[in-house]
Amino acid sequence: MPVQYGHIDGEPPQPVFLRTEYYRAGTFFPPRRQPWAELNYALEGVSEITIEGIPFLSPPHYAIWIPPGFRHEAVNRHDIRYATAYIEAALCADLPAEPCTLALSPLLKAIFADFDARGVRHPQSDADLRLAMVIVDQVRSAPRVLHYLPSTDDPLLAPVLQALQDDPGDKRSAAEWARFAGTTERTLARRAQDLLGMPFNDWRQRLKLVTALSLLEEGHSVQSVSHRLGYGNASAFIAMFRRLTGTSPSQMRSSQKKGPSE
């Protein structure tokens, strides 16, 4: 049974509050609403948060944005280390008004890492307050999508996505999936772009990454994961993983084994 984690709401931002935490699998964050915004991103693992009943998830390099007042909850299925910034509502006027997934810049991640290394949670000095405002600026300018791995109930596209979720290693081409759906490759591509906000093959790559992260956390070898995802060799899988996360599967696994205090 999941266990509830206490003191999950952090401290009121004045104007920003930051923290980096490590949580074990099964940690439960009960539903709550807050008068400030949250930016959450995973340093290790996949961040999964349900906002107003809609599931959001993001691997490293992406963050989940929760504007003030939105009801959200989470259960960690796997160990995870992630960073959070709470931003007071007065700074959110021109930030995203709806929950979404944001692509993180190296600058934003570097600022988080700097605050964490120095143990700064409530920026107080003029220099730290300026850095905190850069975080707000980075949220404002970050490329955004509704979900990292969006879904749809479209009668043409949904069966294709479900079949891929059942077997992420299915090697059928886009043209073959179009025939499976009873349509043309061009129509399938247009429907994916319109309804998912990204090309069909990009969605497939993201599905493979999310699946890989879960399998690696469960202890499967890199070789077995690459085979399960349909790669002819582990090198091709590692290249995909590094391109989307900035690290290799073995490096990510090593950092997870060390835990937060090592």
Side-chain angles (χ1 to χ4, degrees), residues 52 67 79 92 108 114 138 167 233:
E52 299 290 354
D79 292 354
C92 296
L108 191 148
D114 175 64
Q138 289 292 295
D167 181 11
N233 57 71

Side-chain angles (χ1 to χ4, degrees), residues 146-217:
L146 182 58
H147 301 290
Y148 181 77
L149 191 68
S151 61
T152 177
D153 57 3
D154 176 69
L156 187 151
L157 193 55
V160 175
L161 302 187
Q162 186 59 60
L164 282 166
Q165 288 175 309
D166 292 340
D167 181 11
D170 194 309
K171 296 182 180 180
R172 276 179 279 186
S173 67
E176 290 172 316
W177 281 114
R179 288 195 292 272
F180 169 85
T183 188
T184 65
E185 183 177 357
R186 183 175 180 179
T187 297
L188 181 69
R190 185 173 62 248
R191 196 71 64 91
Q193 188 66 56
D194 290 345
L195 298 176
L196 303 178
M198 66 187 70
F200 177 65
N201 284 331
D202 284 6
W203 190 93
R204 293 180 72 176
Q205 288 289 296
R206 292 186 182 200
L207 173 65
K208 288 185 177 185
L209 175 62
V210 170
T211 303
L213 288 166
S214 295
L215 292 173
L216 291 167
E217 288 173 351

Side-chain angles (χ1 to χ4, degrees), residues 109-132:
K109 298 182 75 172
I111 294 172
F112 264 104
D114 175 64
F115 279 136
D116 183 48
R118 294 188 290 117
V120 176
R121 293 200 168 194
H122 276 297
Q124 299 290 330
S125 70
D126 289 344
D128 284 346
L129 285 169
R130 287 194 295 270
L131 280 178

